[in-house]
Amino acid sequence: MSGNWERGVRRVVPYTPGEQPSGDVIKLNTNENPYPPSPKVKAAVDAVSDGRLRLYPDTVCRELTAELAAQAGVEPEQVFIGVGSDDVLSMAFLTFFNTDEPVLFPNVTYSFYDVWAKVYGIKYKTVALDKEFRIHTQDYFEKNGGIVIANPNAPTGILLGLEEIESIVAANPDSVVIIDEAYIDFGGKSAVGLTARYENLLVVQTFSKSRSLAGLRIGMAYGDKKLIKYLSDVRFSVNSYTMNTLSQVGGLAALRDREYFEKTRAEIIRVREYSKAKLEELGFSLTDSAANFLFAKPSGKTAGELFSALKARGIYVRWWDKPEISDRLRITVGTKEQMDALFAALKELL
Ligand code: PMP
């Protein structure tokens, strides 16, 4: 029997993540880290006892929170942890964007922002980047119900300086400003320090990129104690046990291995700069990416053609069929060997 039950369904168009192909491919499409996580992560996860797994996890992630706070130079009450920064951002949208004014974010940015706005019924307005994909701070000085900026922005890779971030936060004392720093470790200065002076600033980061732990799903946010309390109250109204024990333990081990973190992120930055030069030699024009990916416009063939031809050769990059960016590829920085394989393929294709 089919009645009219669909009248009450919340219908949404979901976010589409990059493909996760199986098999022997060169995967440069979802900005994962090409290096394994610190070997200390596996050791710590292996050492977790059955007795601990039998129990519910620590709801407030005490140890991980304390280490994050210590490393960032903030109090534990200024740290929030979630299941990847997607979860943190989603909770932050739900918590902080609750007025009739539109939330502002760039027209070219992380394509999950408008999806969260729609699923939670939040009004939003996109702000156009300039022709060079730059954000202009004064565009965010108008009345609004909140602001979200990815810094560096994705998929452009372009970084705003701390003064520019501060000018946006300072100009908007009546809104919460979220700075999404998923890629900050690859060349930017974090805005975490500004949270001491601005109650309305939430800085979001992740273990998925610079800590090579996309599979464990750990994200975090830093902010004023009051801001974090509001965020936690909403989170605990949805789910008490979001962070599983293995992620808490593995994340802590990754965080403590600072030497490994410094070594791998320096290598990614080195290969990024090498890759910029190589792509330029191949006729691409590039933004000045401060992230672990490149945003590259080919000449000779269209980005769409190259995307498909590379995929046919087992090399996955990202391409969006959207008017503002359809002439570009977003290419995750892999190992030097992976990048050389990409350049060899591009040389043949072009
Ligand atoms: N923000 C930006 C700008 C991203 O590109 C991503 C990765 N897709 C995320 C947040 C979410 O990453 P995660 O949930 O793995 O922390």
Side-chain angles (χ1 to χ4, degrees), residues 48-340:
V48 174
S49 68
D50 283 347
R52 194 153 173 207
L53 288 181
R54 190 178 65 77
L55 301 173
Y56 280 112
D58 172 8
T59 55
V60 292
C61 313
R62 225 168 259 104
E63 282 188 287
L64 187 56
T65 302
E67 185 69 24
L68 284 168
Q71 290 198 13
V74 300
E75 300 290 322
E77 297 82 4
Q78 293 176 263
V79 178
F80 176 90
I81 297 177
V83 187
S85 54
D86 279 343
D87 178 45
V88 177
L89 288 162
S90 153
M91 287 291 119
F93 270 58
L94 185 58
T95 309
F96 300 122
F97 299 158
N98 196 22
T99 72
D100 291 329
E101 303 290 342
V103 168
L104 307 179
F105 48 83
N107 64 334
V108 175
T109 190
Y110 186 30
S111 41
F112 223 139
Y113 299 157
D114 61 327
V115 175
W116 287 315
K118 282 175 197 149
V119 74
Y120 295 136
I122 298 164
K123 269 196 208 148
Y124 69 95
K125 192 176 126 185
T126 59
V127 181
L129 300 178
D130 73 12
K131 288 230 158 27
E132 268 83 53
F133 299 105
R134 293 190 181 279
I135 290 171
H136 291 276
T137 54
Q138 65 272 19
D139 293 345
Y140 296 84
F141 294 175
E142 66 181 74
K143 207 161 189 297
N144 62 73
I147 292 173
V148 194
I149 306 262
N151 195 42
N153 196 12
T156 67
I158 296 174
L159 182 76
L160 283 181
L162 266 192
E163 319 70 49
E164 292 170 294
I165 295 291
E166 182 166 4
S167 73
I168 294 174
V169 179
N172 288 283
D174 299 332
S175 303
V176 172
V177 178
I178 299 177
I179 304 298
D180 176 356
E181 294 189 345
Y183 303 101
I184 198 71
D185 292 329
F186 301 108
K189 279 212 177 91
S190 172
V192 168
L194 294 178
T195 60
R197 278 186 285 131
Y198 296 96
E199 281 186 1
N200 61 322
L201 170 63
L202 188 80
V203 178
V204 179
Q205 295 183 357
T206 179
F207 280 58
S208 298
K209 317 293 178 182
S210 57
R211 308 267 171 193
S212 201
L213 283 178
L216 282 193
R217 311 303 300 129
I218 311 169
M220 62 281 206
Y222 304 90
D224 180 80
K225 287 181 189 176
K226 197 156 56 166
L227 200 71
I228 296 299
K229 171 76 165 67
Y230 281 126
L231 191 53
S232 296
D233 285 349
V234 169
R235 184 211 129 171
F236 284 114
S237 305
V238 176
N239 184 351
S240 312
Y241 300 112
T242 49
M243 294 307 299
N244 72 73
T245 299
L246 299 180
S247 294
Q248 294 188 36
V249 166
L252 183 63
L255 208 52
R256 286 183 172 153
D257 195 348
R258 294 189 64 116
E259 193 186 329
Y260 186 87
F261 167 72
E262 293 297 348
K263 198 174 79 186
T264 46
R265 80 159 161 174
E267 183 59 13
I268 289 167
I269 292 168
R270 195 183 69 78
V271 176
R272 178 185 71 208
E273 296 309 311
Y274 163 79
S275 301
K276 273 185 194 166
K278 282 281 177 191
L279 285 169
E280 273 164 4
E281 274 172 33
L282 287 163
F284 283 79
S285 54
L286 296 140
T287 56
D288 186 21
S289 173
N292 70 337
F293 54 82
L294 296 164
F295 195 46
K297 181 179 170 183
S299 59
K301 282 226 163 77
T302 68
E305 284 167 340
L306 284 180
F307 166 77
S308 305
L310 286 170
K311 188 167 159 176
R313 290 169 180 234
I315 301 177
Y316 284 68
V317 298
R318 197 91 193 259
W319 173 68
W320 288 272
D321 193 6
K322 287 186 188 168
E324 300 90 354
I325 54 172
S326 61
D327 59 349
R328 299 199 168 232
L329 297 174
R330 192 198 65 189
I331 304 167
T332 303
V333 176
T335 61
K336 177 159 183 303
E337 293 68 35
Q338 289 177 319
M339 299 314 278
D340 282 337

